[in-house]
Amino acid sequence: MIIVFKPNATEQDIDHVTDRLRELGLKTQISRGEERTIIGVIGDERILENQPLSVFPGVESVTPILAPWKLVSREFQKDNTVIDVDGVLVGGRRLTVMAGPCAVEKLEITLGIAQEVKAAGGSILRGGAYKPRTSPYSFQGLGREGLDYLLEAKRQTGLPIVSEILDPRDTDLFLEKADIIQIGARNMQNFELLKEVGAYDKPVLLKRGLSATIKEFLLSAEYILSRGNRNIILCERGIRTFETQYRNTLDLSAVPVLKELSHLPVIVDPSHATGKWNLVSPMAKAAIAAGADGLLIEVHSDPECALCDGEESLKPRRFKDLMAELQKIAQAVGREL
Ligand code: PEP
Ligand code: MN
């Protein structure tokens, strides 16, 4: 951390700051220029999190050097985290494609889609049983019954399942039935929910908030990791911008940036990022080319009748074609599918 003093700061002001830093166990290096005095703080400056040094008399600016997160960082762990999801590895050389309906609907529909996902080479089945809908009048999901349909699909296909939790009171239910607990964009900063899923080692799929910065996203992951759960998958799902032509703007730069800053696996959701089925395949390919460890894709056998997000759902045949096309991209970037 670098602390810059105002030109009129007194020796007393400077001593006041250095004394406080020493009390906290930090060393200081003072540099007195002609106009300004600067202090370089030596030691783990994160302990200054609760010290508003910028309000100390004479201080002009305080610039942190270290990132505000620790456990999620590459410095903390050099090697990529690889997560074992009931036998499916996420974050290794092999790409992970999670696919399935936006919402779990009837049992037969769920089972049919699961078979198609499996046949096309998908490795994890997705499906929302509890849906965070903008309107209270929209389909809210089947709840517990929906999780049971997913479990039946898992029994028939062997695909592990990922589903979104909305309420910390449902944790036991998700620990029992889901292989990955999804925290959706709307809950990325629901800190109590983050702490709750952080208390177990069940894999968590953390989606980037609607308007979250990379810093906020990584700090949310840090919440989970700091509670002990190391099994976190980050998911870029588009952010809100001024553009209205598509649902969100897929921030693909986030992929290499997150991979550089963190050891956690990063996947991309081109379905919610675009909101349009015809944009899903091009963006899925771009995501893999950009270094994503996998994809989250909405697939529905009858998008016209889907109870949620039919407009962005791929029909199984298109999903199959996409999986074939992705093979070439995967190979080009040294990955397997
Ligand atoms: C979802 O994946 O079902 C979902 C609701 O996505 P998001 O939280 O990214 O909007
Ligand atoms: Mn959806």
Short mmCIF file of all heavy atoms in Angstrom, two decimals, residues 214-268:
data_model
loop_
_atom_site.label_atom_id
_atom_site.label_comp_id
_atom_site.label_asym_id
_atom_site.label_seq_id
_atom_site.Cartn_x
_atom_site.Cartn_y
_atom_site.Cartn_z
N ILE A 214 -15.35 -7.51 -12.03
CA ILE A 214 -14.51 -8.69 -11.80
C ILE A 214 -14.11 -8.74 -10.32
O ILE A 214 -14.09 -9.80 -9.69
CB ILE A 214 -13.23 -8.62 -12.67
CG1 ILE A 214 -13.59 -8.56 -14.16
CG2 ILE A 214 -12.26 -9.76 -12.34
CD1 ILE A 214 -13.85 -9.84 -14.83
N LYS A 215 -13.82 -7.57 -9.77
CA LYS A 215 -13.41 -7.50 -8.36
C LYS A 215 -14.54 -8.00 -7.45
O LYS A 215 -14.31 -8.81 -6.55
CB LYS A 215 -13.06 -6.04 -8.04
CG LYS A 215 -12.67 -5.78 -6.63
CD LYS A 215 -12.23 -4.32 -6.48
CE LYS A 215 -12.21 -3.94 -5.01
NZ LYS A 215 -11.90 -2.53 -4.81
N GLU A 216 -15.75 -7.53 -7.70
CA GLU A 216 -16.88 -7.98 -6.88
C GLU A 216 -17.12 -9.48 -7.04
O GLU A 216 -17.42 -10.19 -6.07
CB GLU A 216 -18.15 -7.20 -7.26
CG GLU A 216 -18.11 -5.75 -6.82
CD GLU A 216 -19.11 -4.86 -7.55
OE1 GLU A 216 -19.59 -5.23 -8.64
OE2 GLU A 216 -19.38 -3.77 -7.03
N PHE A 217 -16.97 -9.95 -8.28
CA PHE A 217 -17.17 -11.37 -8.57
C PHE A 217 -16.16 -12.22 -7.77
O PHE A 217 -16.53 -13.17 -7.08
CB PHE A 217 -16.98 -11.55 -10.08
CG PHE A 217 -17.38 -12.88 -10.65
CD1 PHE A 217 -18.22 -13.76 -9.97
CD2 PHE A 217 -16.92 -13.26 -11.92
CE1 PHE A 217 -18.59 -14.98 -10.53
CE2 PHE A 217 -17.29 -14.47 -12.48
CZ PHE A 217 -18.11 -15.33 -11.79
N LEU A 218 -14.89 -11.82 -7.84
CA LEU A 218 -13.87 -12.60 -7.14
C LEU A 218 -14.03 -12.50 -5.62
O LEU A 218 -13.75 -13.45 -4.90
CB LEU A 218 -12.47 -12.17 -7.59
CG LEU A 218 -12.10 -12.66 -9.00
CD1 LEU A 218 -10.76 -12.10 -9.43
CD2 LEU A 218 -12.08 -14.19 -9.08
N LEU A 219 -14.49 -11.36 -5.15
CA LEU A 219 -14.70 -11.24 -3.70
C LEU A 219 -15.86 -12.13 -3.25
O LEU A 219 -15.84 -12.66 -2.13
CB LEU A 219 -14.94 -9.78 -3.30
CG LEU A 219 -13.65 -8.94 -3.22
CD1 LEU A 219 -13.96 -7.47 -3.04
CD2 LEU A 219 -12.75 -9.43 -2.08
N SER A 220 -16.84 -12.32 -4.10
CA SER A 220 -17.93 -13.25 -3.75
C SER A 220 -17.40 -14.68 -3.68
O SER A 220 -17.77 -15.45 -2.79
CB SER A 220 -19.07 -13.16 -4.78
OG SER A 220 -19.73 -11.93 -4.62
N ALA A 221 -16.52 -15.02 -4.63
CA ALA A 221 -15.90 -16.35 -4.57
C ALA A 221 -15.05 -16.48 -3.31
O ALA A 221 -15.02 -17.53 -2.66
CB ALA A 221 -15.04 -16.59 -5.82
N GLU A 222 -14.40 -15.39 -2.94
CA GLU A 222 -13.56 -15.38 -1.73
C GLU A 222 -14.42 -15.66 -0.49
O GLU A 222 -13.97 -16.34 0.44
CB GLU A 222 -12.84 -14.03 -1.62
CG GLU A 222 -11.86 -13.92 -0.46
CD GLU A 222 -10.47 -14.47 -0.77
OE1 GLU A 222 -10.18 -14.81 -1.93
OE2 GLU A 222 -9.66 -14.57 0.18
N TYR A 223 -15.63 -15.14 -0.48
CA TYR A 223 -16.55 -15.43 0.63
C TYR A 223 -16.71 -16.94 0.82
O TYR A 223 -16.67 -17.47 1.93
CB TYR A 223 -17.95 -14.86 0.33
CG TYR A 223 -18.28 -13.59 1.09
CD1 TYR A 223 -18.04 -12.35 0.51
CD2 TYR A 223 -18.82 -13.64 2.35
CE1 TYR A 223 -18.35 -11.18 1.19
CE2 TYR A 223 -19.13 -12.48 3.04
CZ TYR A 223 -18.89 -11.25 2.46
OH TYR A 223 -19.19 -10.11 3.13
N ILE A 224 -16.92 -17.63 -0.30
CA ILE A 224 -17.17 -19.08 -0.23
C ILE A 224 -15.89 -19.80 0.20
O ILE A 224 -15.89 -20.64 1.10
CB ILE A 224 -17.66 -19.60 -1.60
CG1 ILE A 224 -18.95 -18.86 -2.01
CG2 ILE A 224 -17.90 -21.11 -1.56
CD1 ILE A 224 -19.42 -19.16 -3.42
N LEU A 225 -14.78 -19.41 -0.46
CA LEU A 225 -13.51 -20.07 -0.14
C LEU A 225 -13.07 -19.81 1.30
O LEU A 225 -12.51 -20.69 1.96
CB LEU A 225 -12.44 -19.56 -1.10
CG LEU A 225 -11.88 -20.61 -2.05
CD1 LEU A 225 -11.19 -19.99 -3.23
CD2 LEU A 225 -10.92 -21.52 -1.31
N SER A 226 -13.34 -18.60 1.77
CA SER A 226 -12.87 -18.26 3.12
C SER A 226 -13.62 -19.06 4.18
O SER A 226 -13.17 -19.15 5.32
CB SER A 226 -13.01 -16.76 3.38
OG SER A 226 -14.36 -16.40 3.36
N ARG A 227 -14.76 -19.62 3.81
CA ARG A 227 -15.49 -20.49 4.76
C ARG A 227 -15.01 -21.93 4.68
O ARG A 227 -15.51 -22.80 5.38
CB ARG A 227 -16.99 -20.45 4.47
CG ARG A 227 -17.61 -19.12 4.79
CD ARG A 227 -17.82 -19.02 6.28
NE ARG A 227 -17.90 -17.63 6.72
CZ ARG A 227 -18.64 -17.21 7.73
NH1 ARG A 227 -19.38 -18.07 8.40
NH2 ARG A 227 -18.63 -15.96 8.07
N GLY A 228 -14.13 -22.22 3.73
CA GLY A 228 -13.56 -23.56 3.66
C GLY A 228 -13.87 -24.34 2.39
O GLY A 228 -13.23 -25.35 2.12
N ASN A 229 -14.86 -23.89 1.61
CA ASN A 229 -15.21 -24.64 0.40
C ASN A 229 -14.33 -24.19 -0.77
O ASN A 229 -14.39 -23.04 -1.22
CB ASN A 229 -16.69 -24.42 0.06
CG ASN A 229 -17.17 -25.36 -1.03
OD1 ASN A 229 -16.36 -25.97 -1.73
ND2 ASN A 229 -18.47 -25.50 -1.16
N ARG A 230 -13.49 -25.11 -1.24
CA ARG A 230 -12.55 -24.77 -2.32
C ARG A 230 -13.09 -25.11 -3.69
O ARG A 230 -12.46 -24.84 -4.71
CB ARG A 230 -11.25 -25.56 -2.12
CG ARG A 230 -10.65 -25.42 -0.74
CD ARG A 230 -9.57 -26.46 -0.51
NE ARG A 230 -8.43 -26.21 -1.37
CZ ARG A 230 -7.39 -25.47 -1.01
NH1 ARG A 230 -7.36 -24.94 0.18
NH2 ARG A 230 -6.39 -25.27 -1.83
N ASN A 231 -14.26 -25.73 -3.73
CA ASN A 231 -14.79 -26.25 -5.01
C ASN A 231 -15.72 -25.25 -5.69
O ASN A 231 -16.94 -25.43 -5.70
CB ASN A 231 -15.51 -27.58 -4.76
CG ASN A 231 -14.58 -28.59 -4.15
OD1 ASN A 231 -13.44 -28.74 -4.59
ND2 ASN A 231 -15.04 -29.28 -3.12
N ILE A 232 -15.12 -24.23 -6.25
CA ILE A 232 -15.94 -23.17 -6.85
C ILE A 232 -15.65 -23.08 -8.35
O ILE A 232 -14.49 -23.06 -8.77
CB ILE A 232 -15.62 -21.80 -6.21
CG1 ILE A 232 -15.79 -21.89 -4.69
CG2 ILE A 232 -16.49 -20.70 -6.79
CD1 ILE A 232 -15.14 -20.75 -3.95
N ILE A 233 -16.72 -23.02 -9.12
CA ILE A 233 -16.60 -22.81 -10.57
C ILE A 233 -17.17 -21.42 -10.86
O ILE A 233 -18.30 -21.12 -10.44
CB ILE A 233 -17.42 -23.88 -11.35
CG1 ILE A 233 -16.99 -25.29 -10.95
CG2 ILE A 233 -17.31 -23.66 -12.85
CD1 ILE A 233 -18.02 -26.36 -11.27
N LEU A 234 -16.40 -20.59 -11.53
CA LEU A 234 -16.89 -19.24 -11.87
C LEU A 234 -17.60 -19.30 -13.21
O LEU A 234 -17.18 -20.04 -14.11
CB LEU A 234 -15.71 -18.27 -11.97
CG LEU A 234 -14.85 -18.13 -10.71
CD1 LEU A 234 -13.61 -17.28 -11.01
CD2 LEU A 234 -15.67 -17.50 -9.57
N CYS A 235 -18.67 -18.53 -13.35
CA CYS A 235 -19.40 -18.54 -14.62
C CYS A 235 -19.69 -17.12 -15.10
O CYS A 235 -20.40 -16.36 -14.45
CB CYS A 235 -20.71 -19.32 -14.47
SG CYS A 235 -21.69 -19.36 -15.98
N GLU A 236 -19.13 -16.79 -16.26
CA GLU A 236 -19.43 -15.52 -16.92
C GLU A 236 -20.73 -15.72 -17.69
O GLU A 236 -20.83 -16.62 -18.52
CB GLU A 236 -18.27 -15.14 -17.85
CG GLU A 236 -18.58 -14.14 -18.94
CD GLU A 236 -19.07 -12.79 -18.43
OE1 GLU A 236 -18.59 -12.33 -17.38
OE2 GLU A 236 -19.96 -12.21 -19.08
N ARG A 237 -21.73 -14.87 -17.42
CA ARG A 237 -23.04 -15.05 -18.05
C ARG A 237 -23.59 -13.76 -18.66
O ARG A 237 -24.78 -13.60 -18.86
CB ARG A 237 -24.04 -15.66 -17.06
CG ARG A 237 -24.07 -15.01 -15.71
CD ARG A 237 -24.79 -13.70 -15.63
NE ARG A 237 -26.23 -13.86 -15.74
CZ ARG A 237 -27.05 -12.92 -16.14
NH1 ARG A 237 -26.58 -11.71 -16.44
NH2 ARG A 237 -28.35 -13.12 -16.23
N GLY A 238 -22.66 -12.85 -18.99
CA GLY A 238 -23.10 -11.60 -19.59
C GLY A 238 -23.41 -10.56 -18.54
O GLY A 238 -23.83 -10.89 -17.43
N ILE A 239 -23.15 -9.31 -18.90
CA ILE A 239 -23.41 -8.21 -17.97
C ILE A 239 -24.33 -7.20 -18.64
O ILE A 239 -24.48 -7.18 -19.85
CB ILE A 239 -22.08 -7.52 -17.54
CG1 ILE A 239 -21.22 -7.20 -18.77
CG2 ILE A 239 -21.33 -8.38 -16.55
CD1 ILE A 239 -19.99 -6.39 -18.46
N ARG A 240 -24.92 -6.34 -17.84
CA ARG A 240 -25.83 -5.32 -18.37
C ARG A 240 -25.04 -4.18 -18.99
O ARG A 240 -24.14 -3.63 -18.34
CB ARG A 240 -26.69 -4.77 -17.26
CG ARG A 240 -27.77 -5.72 -16.90
CD ARG A 240 -28.96 -4.98 -16.38
NE ARG A 240 -30.07 -5.93 -16.36
CZ ARG A 240 -31.03 -5.91 -15.47
NH1 ARG A 240 -31.03 -4.98 -14.54
NH2 ARG A 240 -32.00 -6.78 -15.53
N THR A 241 -25.38 -3.83 -20.21
CA THR A 241 -24.77 -2.65 -20.83
C THR A 241 -25.89 -1.83 -21.47
O THR A 241 -27.07 -2.18 -21.34
CB THR A 241 -23.76 -3.04 -21.92
OG1 THR A 241 -24.46 -3.63 -23.01
CG2 THR A 241 -22.72 -4.03 -21.40
N PHE A 242 -25.53 -0.80 -22.20
CA PHE A 242 -26.53 0.03 -22.90
C PHE A 242 -27.14 -0.69 -24.09
O PHE A 242 -28.14 -0.26 -24.64
CB PHE A 242 -25.90 1.35 -23.36
CG PHE A 242 -24.63 1.13 -24.14
CD1 PHE A 242 -24.67 0.82 -25.48
CD2 PHE A 242 -23.40 1.21 -23.51
CE1 PHE A 242 -23.51 0.60 -26.19
CE2 PHE A 242 -22.22 0.99 -24.21
CZ PHE A 242 -22.29 0.68 -25.56
N GLU A 243 -26.54 -1.77 -24.55
CA GLU A 243 -27.01 -2.46 -25.76
C GLU A 243 -28.32 -3.20 -25.50
O GLU A 243 -28.43 -3.91 -24.50
CB GLU A 243 -25.92 -3.44 -26.23
CG GLU A 243 -26.23 -4.12 -27.52
CD GLU A 243 -26.56 -3.14 -28.65
OE1 GLU A 243 -25.65 -2.44 -29.10
OE2 GLU A 243 -27.74 -3.05 -29.05
N THR A 244 -29.28 -3.03 -26.39
CA THR A 244 -30.58 -3.69 -26.18
C THR A 244 -30.86 -4.78 -27.22
O THR A 244 -31.89 -5.43 -27.18
CB THR A 244 -31.72 -2.66 -26.26
OG1 THR A 244 -31.61 -1.95 -27.50
CG2 THR A 244 -31.65 -1.68 -25.10
N GLN A 245 -29.94 -4.94 -28.15
CA GLN A 245 -30.16 -5.91 -29.23
C GLN A 245 -30.16 -7.35 -28.71
O GLN A 245 -30.77 -8.23 -29.30
CB GLN A 245 -29.05 -5.74 -30.27
CG GLN A 245 -29.28 -6.46 -31.57
CD GLN A 245 -30.46 -5.88 -32.36
OE1 GLN A 245 -30.76 -4.71 -32.24
NE2 GLN A 245 -31.12 -6.72 -33.12
N TYR A 246 -29.47 -7.57 -27.62
CA TYR A 246 -29.46 -8.89 -27.00
C TYR A 246 -29.64 -8.72 -25.50
O TYR A 246 -29.55 -7.61 -24.98
CB TYR A 246 -28.18 -9.68 -27.30
CG TYR A 246 -27.01 -8.84 -27.75
CD1 TYR A 246 -26.23 -8.17 -26.82
CD2 TYR A 246 -26.70 -8.71 -29.10
CE1 TYR A 246 -25.17 -7.38 -27.22
CE2 TYR A 246 -25.64 -7.91 -29.51
CZ TYR A 246 -24.88 -7.25 -28.58
OH TYR A 246 -23.84 -6.46 -28.97
N ARG A 247 -29.91 -9.83 -24.82
CA ARG A 247 -30.32 -9.75 -23.41
C ARG A 247 -29.25 -9.13 -22.50
O ARG A 247 -29.52 -8.32 -21.64
CB ARG A 247 -30.64 -11.18 -22.95
CG ARG A 247 -31.21 -11.29 -21.57
CD ARG A 247 -31.71 -12.72 -21.34
NE ARG A 247 -32.15 -12.92 -19.97
CZ ARG A 247 -32.62 -14.04 -19.49
NH1 ARG A 247 -32.75 -15.10 -20.28
NH2 ARG A 247 -32.99 -14.14 -18.25
N ASN A 248 -28.02 -9.57 -22.69
CA ASN A 248 -26.88 -9.03 -21.94
C ASN A 248 -25.71 -8.93 -22.90
O ASN A 248 -25.82 -9.34 -24.06
CB ASN A 248 -26.50 -9.98 -20.79
CG ASN A 248 -27.56 -10.01 -19.70
OD1 ASN A 248 -27.78 -9.04 -19.00
ND2 ASN A 248 -28.26 -11.13 -19.58
N THR A 249 -24.60 -8.42 -22.43
CA THR A 249 -23.39 -8.37 -23.27
C THR A 249 -22.40 -9.37 -22.70
O THR A 249 -22.00 -9.26 -21.53
CB THR A 249 -22.79 -6.95 -23.24
OG1 THR A 249 -23.76 -6.04 -23.77
CG2 THR A 249 -21.53 -6.89 -24.08
N LEU A 250 -22.05 -10.36 -23.52
CA LEU A 250 -21.10 -11.38 -23.04
C LEU A 250 -19.73 -10.73 -22.90
O LEU A 250 -19.18 -10.23 -23.88
CB LEU A 250 -21.05 -12.56 -24.01
CG LEU A 250 -20.07 -13.67 -23.65
CD1 LEU A 250 -20.34 -14.23 -22.27
CD2 LEU A 250 -20.11 -14.79 -24.68
N ASP A 251 -19.21 -10.73 -21.70
CA ASP A 251 -17.92 -10.11 -21.44
C ASP A 251 -16.84 -11.19 -21.54
O ASP A 251 -16.42 -11.76 -20.54
CB ASP A 251 -17.93 -9.46 -20.05
CG ASP A 251 -16.59 -8.82 -19.71
OD1 ASP A 251 -15.77 -8.64 -20.64
OD2 ASP A 251 -16.37 -8.50 -18.53
N LEU A 252 -16.41 -11.43 -22.78
CA LEU A 252 -15.45 -12.53 -22.96
C LEU A 252 -14.07 -12.21 -22.43
O LEU A 252 -13.30 -13.11 -22.11
CB LEU A 252 -15.35 -12.87 -24.46
CG LEU A 252 -16.27 -13.99 -24.94
CD1 LEU A 252 -15.89 -14.41 -26.34
CD2 LEU A 252 -16.25 -15.19 -24.01
N SER A 253 -13.76 -10.91 -22.31
CA SER A 253 -12.45 -10.56 -21.72
C SER A 253 -12.35 -11.08 -20.30
O SER A 253 -11.26 -11.29 -19.78
CB SER A 253 -12.25 -9.04 -21.67
OG SER A 253 -12.39 -8.50 -22.94
N ALA A 254 -13.51 -11.26 -19.67
CA ALA A 254 -13.50 -11.76 -18.29
C ALA A 254 -12.83 -13.14 -18.21
O ALA A 254 -12.24 -13.47 -17.18
CB ALA A 254 -14.93 -11.85 -17.75
N VAL A 255 -12.91 -13.91 -19.29
CA VAL A 255 -12.37 -15.27 -19.22
C VAL A 255 -10.85 -15.26 -19.01
O VAL A 255 -10.37 -15.77 -17.99
CB VAL A 255 -12.79 -16.12 -20.46
CG1 VAL A 255 -12.13 -17.48 -20.43
CG2 VAL A 255 -14.30 -16.25 -20.51
N PRO A 256 -10.08 -14.65 -19.94
CA PRO A 256 -8.63 -14.64 -19.67
C PRO A 256 -8.25 -13.86 -18.42
O PRO A 256 -7.29 -14.22 -17.74
CB PRO A 256 -8.02 -14.00 -20.93
CG PRO A 256 -9.16 -13.36 -21.65
CD PRO A 256 -10.40 -14.08 -21.26
N VAL A 257 -9.01 -12.84 -18.09
CA VAL A 257 -8.69 -12.06 -16.89
C VAL A 257 -8.90 -12.91 -15.64
O VAL A 257 -8.03 -12.98 -14.76
CB VAL A 257 -9.53 -10.76 -16.83
CG1 VAL A 257 -9.42 -10.10 -15.47
CG2 VAL A 257 -9.08 -9.79 -17.91
N LEU A 258 -10.03 -13.60 -15.57
CA LEU A 258 -10.29 -14.45 -14.39
C LEU A 258 -9.28 -15.58 -14.31
O LEU A 258 -8.81 -15.94 -13.22
CB LEU A 258 -11.72 -15.02 -14.45
CG LEU A 258 -12.85 -14.01 -14.22
CD1 LEU A 258 -14.20 -14.63 -14.58
CD2 LEU A 258 -12.86 -13.52 -12.77
N LYS A 259 -8.91 -16.14 -15.47
CA LYS A 259 -7.93 -17.24 -15.46
C LYS A 259 -6.56 -16.75 -14.99
O LYS A 259 -5.82 -17.50 -14.39
CB LYS A 259 -7.79 -17.86 -16.86
CG LYS A 259 -9.03 -18.53 -17.42
CD LYS A 259 -9.44 -19.81 -16.74
CE LYS A 259 -8.41 -20.90 -16.82
NZ LYS A 259 -8.87 -22.09 -16.04
N GLU A 260 -6.28 -15.50 -15.30
CA GLU A 260 -4.99 -14.95 -14.88
C GLU A 260 -5.00 -14.63 -13.38
O GLU A 260 -4.04 -14.90 -12.67
CB GLU A 260 -4.74 -13.67 -15.67
CG GLU A 260 -3.33 -13.16 -15.58
CD GLU A 260 -3.15 -11.92 -16.46
OE1 GLU A 260 -3.50 -11.96 -17.65
OE2 GLU A 260 -2.67 -10.91 -15.92
N LEU A 261 -6.09 -14.07 -12.91
CA LEU A 261 -6.15 -13.63 -11.51
C LEU A 261 -6.40 -14.78 -10.54
O LEU A 261 -6.01 -14.72 -9.39
CB LEU A 261 -7.25 -12.58 -11.32
CG LEU A 261 -7.05 -11.23 -12.01
CD1 LEU A 261 -8.28 -10.36 -11.85
CD2 LEU A 261 -5.81 -10.53 -11.45
N SER A 262 -7.10 -15.80 -11.04
CA SER A 262 -7.55 -16.86 -10.12
C SER A 262 -7.21 -18.26 -10.64
O SER A 262 -7.08 -18.47 -11.85
CB SER A 262 -9.07 -16.73 -9.92
OG SER A 262 -9.54 -17.79 -9.14
N HIS A 263 -7.12 -19.20 -9.72
CA HIS A 263 -6.87 -20.60 -10.07
C HIS A 263 -8.17 -21.37 -10.28
O HIS A 263 -8.16 -22.55 -10.63
CB HIS A 263 -6.06 -21.27 -8.95
CG HIS A 263 -6.66 -21.07 -7.58
ND1 HIS A 263 -7.66 -21.88 -7.09
CD2 HIS A 263 -6.44 -20.13 -6.64
CE1 HIS A 263 -8.01 -21.43 -5.89
NE2 HIS A 263 -7.28 -20.37 -5.59
N LEU A 264 -9.32 -20.70 -10.08
CA LEU A 264 -10.60 -21.41 -10.15
C LEU A 264 -11.02 -21.65 -11.61
O LEU A 264 -10.71 -20.83 -12.48
CB LEU A 264 -11.68 -20.59 -9.45
CG LEU A 264 -11.48 -20.39 -7.94
CD1 LEU A 264 -12.51 -19.41 -7.40
CD2 LEU A 264 -11.58 -21.73 -7.20
N PRO A 265 -11.74 -22.74 -11.88
CA PRO A 265 -12.23 -22.96 -13.25
C PRO A 265 -13.24 -21.88 -13.66
O PRO A 265 -13.98 -21.38 -12.81
CB PRO A 265 -12.94 -24.33 -13.17
CG PRO A 265 -12.69 -24.88 -11.83
CD PRO A 265 -12.12 -23.81 -10.96
N VAL A 266 -13.23 -21.56 -14.94
CA VAL A 266 -14.13 -20.52 -15.46
C VAL A 266 -14.94 -21.10 -16.62
O VAL A 266 -14.36 -21.62 -17.58
CB VAL A 266 -13.31 -19.31 -15.99
CG1 VAL A 266 -14.24 -18.25 -16.58
CG2 VAL A 266 -12.44 -18.71 -14.89
N ILE A 267 -16.24 -21.04 -16.51
CA ILE A 267 -17.07 -21.47 -17.64
C ILE A 267 -17.91 -20.28 -18.13
O ILE A 267 -17.99 -19.25 -17.46
CB ILE A 267 -17.97 -22.68 -17.30
CG1 ILE A 267 -19.08 -22.29 -16.32
CG2 ILE A 267 -17.15 -23.85 -16.75
CD1 ILE A 267 -20.19 -23.33 -16.23
N VAL A 268 -18.50 -20.45 -19.31
CA VAL A 268 -19.28 -19.36 -19.91
C VAL A 268 -20.69 -19.85 -20.22
O VAL A 268 -20.88 -20.98 -20.69
CB VAL A 268 -18.58 -18.83 -21.19
CG1 VAL A 268 -19.49 -17.92 -21.98
CG2 VAL A 268 -17.29 -18.09 -20.81
#
